[in-house]
Amino acid sequence: MELIKMTRAHAGWTEAEDALLFDLAERARQAGRPLKSVFDEMAKQSGRQPNSVRNYYYARVKSGGEAGGRHSPAFVPFTEEEAEQLMETVLLAQAEGESVRSCTLRLGGGQQRAMLRYQNKYRSLIRSDPALVRRVMEKLRSEGRPVFDPYTEPRAHKVGRPRKQDRPAADIAAEVVDALENVEGLDVPALLNALGRLAVGATGNAQRMRQLETQLLHERERSKVLMKCFSELLRVNTEFLQAPMKSRAAKLSDYLRDLESSVRPCAMLLLDEIG
């Protein structure tokens, strides 16, 4: 596609530019490509900066009309007021024992894509904008409403409600799969199969490691006994050999008795090893 010829200053957008931008966005949506590629392509076509293209796109989608009607609201950025309202809603829900997923799914009207948009924004605010979170918490406290603190409380729960670690594995797995399916270009079944194979291999390796540790402990104990036996055997022979030649004949009977006593445990350990 040839570079668009400008009919006005870069501060304003022509109808041709507007149409091209949303045509590129629609093609990207159908192909599963990220919007960033659209902004980069439009910047190249029009000579504008990618950030300028991005800001114009979001402003047009936010304003509705033809562009807004043709594109998913998942691409619409949150205003500060909307971000605060989202934070307030989720914190109140958690104070009542509702999970973030359940709350954001309700906010999204039961739609998975909308739920993920709310859920991801909430978690992003917790990480990147604690000042906003604290401001919302203080507002709720001043109104005498229950407040969930995401920085100190691991998870809100009702009396009798299973904690997160006690939730059914199937529910947790379903949440993981839902989140993975939102990752562009990811083959979820292939990933899960690979993880399954790794888990099986890790289980087998862990069992083998426990067996090796047990065997190593046994060998260490056996080595200690052998060293003790050999030390005694060395002592008996050394004492006999260091005795004067004239006295060796008199000590021979004692030496042979001590020698047999020292050799027997060593022989038993070695014969057990040989089988």
Side-chain angles (χ1 to χ4, degrees), residues 11-261:
W13 283 67
T14 66
E15 292 184 3
E17 288 178 300
D18 185 273
L20 174 60
L21 173 60
F22 286 99
D23 179 62
L24 292 173
E26 181 64 19
R27 293 183 186 181
R29 185 188 65 78
Q30 293 176 359
R33 291 186 288 105
L35 273 177
K36 184 179 183 303
S37 66
V38 175
F39 303 147
D40 291 341
E41 177 63 22
M42 188 64 199
K44 185 185 301 183
Q45 295 280 347
S46 63
R48 299 176 184 275
Q49 293 298 317
N51 286 344
S52 175
V53 176
R54 175 186 180 278
N55 293 340
Y56 177 79
Y57 173 83
Y58 283 134
R60 288 283 286 116
V61 174
K62 189 69 176 176
S63 66
E66 180 184 0
R70 286 170 19 184
H71 292 80
S72 167
F75 291 142
V76 181
F78 285 84
T79 64
E80 183 174 355
E81 181 181 355
E82 290 171 336
E84 290 189 11
Q85 183 60 49
L86 170 64
M87 183 58 59
E88 180 176 320
T89 301
V90 179
L91 291 182
L92 286 173
Q94 288 191 97
E96 294 297 323
E98 187 176 6
S99 68
V100 174
R101 175 183 171 80
S102 174
C103 176
T104 52
L105 187 61
R106 175 165 48 80
L107 289 174
Q111 298 297 315
Q112 183 74 14
R113 188 178 183 85
M115 180 277 290
L116 288 172
R117 174 178 182 253
Y118 288 121
Q119 180 175 271
N120 292 341
K121 181 62 177 179
Y122 167 77
R123 290 174 176 170
S124 174
L125 290 171
I126 295 296
R127 292 192 304 270
S128 63
D129 198 349
L132 181 146
V133 178
R134 298 293 184 191
R135 186 166 65 249
V136 171
M137 291 169 59
E138 288 303 318
K139 174 178 178 293
L140 294 176
R141 289 195 181 102
S142 67
E143 296 173 353
R145 307 175 77 179
V147 180
F148 176 82
D149 188 343
Y151 299 113
T152 60
E153 301 180 54
R155 188 174 190 266
H157 59 277
K158 293 181 179 178
V159 176
R161 179 183 178 132
R163 295 178 181 271
K164 186 169 186 178
Q165 58 267 33
D166 297 326
R167 293 170 56 215
D171 290 350
I172 298 174
E175 288 189 14
V176 173
V177 172
D178 288 343
L180 290 175
E181 287 179 344
N182 195 49
V183 179
E184 180 183 344
L186 179 63
D187 187 341
V188 177
L191 174 62
L192 294 179
N193 287 335
L195 290 176
R197 289 193 296 272
L198 287 174
V200 171
T203 302
N205 290 336
Q207 183 177 2
R208 178 58 179 162
M209 285 297 296
R210 287 193 294 270
Q211 293 175 346
L212 291 174
E213 288 174 357
T214 302
Q215 183 178 351
L216 179 60
L217 180 61
H218 171 74
E219 291 299 329
R220 284 176 176 171
E221 293 300 322
R222 179 174 171 276
S223 296
K224 288 180 181 179
V225 176
L226 277 173
M227 286 300 297
K228 185 176 181 180
C229 291
F230 282 122
S231 296
E232 180 63 17
L233 186 61
L234 180 63
R235 182 191 67 79
V236 170
N237 283 279
T238 300
E239 288 182 354
F240 179 76
L241 293 174
Q242 287 179 347
M245 291 293 295
K246 295 180 181 180
S247 64
R248 289 183 184 180
K251 295 182 177 182
L252 184 60
S253 179
D254 293 338
Y255 165 69
L256 292 175
R257 186 183 63 250
D258 292 342
L259 182 61
E260 181 183 5
S261 178

